[in-house]
Amino acid sequence: MPSDAAIWKGLNTPRRLFLIAGPCVIENEKLCRTVAATLKRICADLGIFYVFKASFDKANRTSAKSFRGPGVEAGLEVLAGIRGDFGVPVLTDVHTETQAYLAGETVDILQIPAFLCRQTDLIEAAAATGRILNLKKGQFLSPAEMGQVAEKATRAGAKKLLLTERGTTFGYNNLVADMRAIPIMKSLGFPVVFDATHSVQMPGAGGTRSGGQGWLAPTLARAALAAGANGLFIETHPRPGRALSDGPNMIPLAEMPRVLKNLVKVFKAVNG
């Protein structure tokens, strides 16, 4: 398993693309292991630094009846298994200070969800773990306002930060990805990630669930890399139509080799 320093180097090497990817939520251990094994192999072939991601609790579902995940204890056990058996860094999102403390003992990167990016106590708790933090830009914030979010984290002791763009609210049930956000957020001094699949999400458009246009995610990912993004965040699933969370905006796992091959070409064209 790479050390914290080695992981940060993989995320902060300008001429190497990194990918944070996996299923939206931990549906079961088999799914996570299938996705991790597939993406590790693809990324190794393409020279991409790979981080596995999955959520143990989706606390911001549209409906109270929606599947949230296995919970903290069972979910962290699955993530620990992925980390140990596949030798890849692992990321998960946290929603409370307690979750931050618990997850910080298991995973390599803690993610602050977009909806919670202004929650000072949560950011401070995540920073206190000493883990790398991925701060997702709220759909309601301008790119420049992420400077205040990053400052909260650094004041709390965080030294290694990623900033993620994931689209901005555009009327009802829609988002728009403004590529000006990439250079603006990079000017804050941290690596910038583009969340391709959440940027094509259509929040609440399905009534009791969110909709999405997953087929457009590769297009936005290419645009983000052309704009200078350091890495990408992509949710993927063997059968998005049967996924228990965010299926409509995911990229099918079988399409990932072709998609990533094309994305590497764009990244290399921009970064030499």
Side-chain angles (χ1 to χ4, degrees):
M1 181 61 225
S3 66
D4 185 69
I7 294 170
W8 181 242
K9 182 178 180 181
L11 299 171
N12 199 27
T13 300
R15 293 181 181 273
R16 186 179 187 186
L17 178 64
F18 67 85
L19 173 70
I20 300 169
C24 179
V25 66
I26 299 173
E27 298 178 13
N28 55 66
E29 184 174 7
K30 181 180 179 181
L31 168 67
C32 291
R33 297 181 74 87
T34 296
V35 173
T38 302
L39 293 180
K40 179 182 178 180
R41 182 179 66 253
I42 297 169
C43 289
D45 290 342
L46 296 174
I48 300 171
F49 184 77
Y50 175 54
V51 177
F52 177 82
K53 69 79 49 185
S55 300
F56 55 76
D57 178 24
K58 298 300 293 183
N60 59 351
R61 299 304 307 273
T62 301
S63 170
K65 298 178 181 179
S66 297
F67 178 75
R68 289 183 53 164
V72 179
E73 184 176 347
L76 290 178
E77 183 176 348
V78 171
L79 294 174
I82 296 293
R83 185 177 185 271
D85 294 344
F86 292 94
V88 297
V90 170
L91 172 150
T92 197
D93 46 335
V94 293
H95 302 84
T96 67
E97 295 94 299
T98 299
Q99 286 185 359
Y101 297 137
L102 294 173
E105 296 178 352
T106 300
V107 305
D108 302 284
I109 306 172
L110 295 178
Q111 179 168 282
I112 304 299
F115 281 124
L116 300 176
C117 71
R118 289 173 59 99
Q119 296 297 105
T120 303
D121 291 344
L122 176 59
I123 292 172
E124 290 179 345
T129 68
R131 294 298 189 180
I132 299 169
L133 302 187
N134 183 30
L135 307 174
K136 300 192 78 172
K137 181 180 78 64
Q139 302 91 320
F140 44 85
L141 291 184
S142 67
E145 287 176 274
M146 283 301 288
Q148 300 299 322
V149 179
E151 184 181 8
K152 285 183 182 181
T154 56
R155 279 179 174 269
K159 301 183 184 302
K160 299 169 183 175
L161 303 179
L162 303 173
L163 304 180
T164 294
E165 162 63 21
R166 52 93 72 236
T168 301
T169 299
F170 188 64
Y172 297 122
N173 307 125
N174 205 0
L175 300 169
V176 63
D178 181 356
M179 293 303 156
R180 294 175 297 179
I182 305 299
I184 291 172
M185 290 167 64
K186 284 185 72 172
S187 72
L188 299 175
F190 305 99
V192 170
V193 185
F194 181 70
D195 182 342
T197 44
H198 283 110
S199 292
V200 297
Q201 186 184 61
M202 302 178 74
T208 59
R209 60 182 298 184
S210 292
Q213 297 174 306
W215 64 280
L216 289 174
T219 300
L220 291 188
R222 291 193 295 271
L225 292 178
N230 302 97
L232 295 170
F233 179 109
I234 293 175
E235 290 187 338
T236 182
H237 193 285
R239 298 182 178 181
R242 297 187 180 183
L244 299 181
S245 177
D246 279 358
N249 45 267
M250 287 196 209
I251 296 176
L253 185 62
E255 295 181 14
M256 288 295 284
R258 174 183 58 81
V259 169
L260 291 175
K261 185 177 181 180
N262 288 333
L263 291 173
V264 167
K265 290 179 181 178
V266 176
F267 183 82
K268 288 183 176 179
V270 173
N271 294 278

